[in-house]
Amino acid sequence: MGAVADTLRRKLEEAFSPTRLELVDDSDRHHGHAGHSGAGESHFTLRIESAAFAGQPRVARQRLVMKALADELAGPVHALSIVATAPGEK
């Protein structure tokens, strides 16, 4: 992965101390779509598991992730698909 993915991963680890973190660069699948510059690292799929999400509804979890990654979502990242769970959830 590149610099953007490394930054996303670092920020997520700092903010949530995840027990699981999977980040996939899906940019190639969005060639020709809005926000695809051809440079890559614009579209991501995230699966994150953290105790920080326990007791939080899905939308609140997504907002927490989006807040942690606000700078990247305002810049190089056009789309981020988020699945955020607490340990023991599926």
Side-chain angles (χ1 to χ4, degrees), residues 14-87:
E14 289 174 1
F16 303 108
S17 299
T19 52
R20 177 181 175 197
L21 177 60
E22 296 175 16
L23 185 63
V24 177
D25 183 351
D26 292 324
S27 300
D28 287 345
R29 293 179 43 209
H30 296 274
H31 183 70
H33 296 176
H36 186 275
S37 68
E41 293 197 289
S42 60
H43 295 70
F44 290 90
T45 296
L46 170 66
R47 290 186 176 276
I48 184 169
E49 177 183 275
S50 172
F53 301 131
Q56 298 287 330
R58 182 180 56 86
V59 172
R61 294 172 184 195
Q62 291 178 345
R63 286 181 180 152
L64 288 170
V65 169
M66 292 172 71
K67 182 176 179 183
L69 303 177
D71 291 340
E72 291 69 31
L73 291 169
V77 177
H78 174 74
L80 178 64
S81 172
I82 303 167
V83 176
T85 59

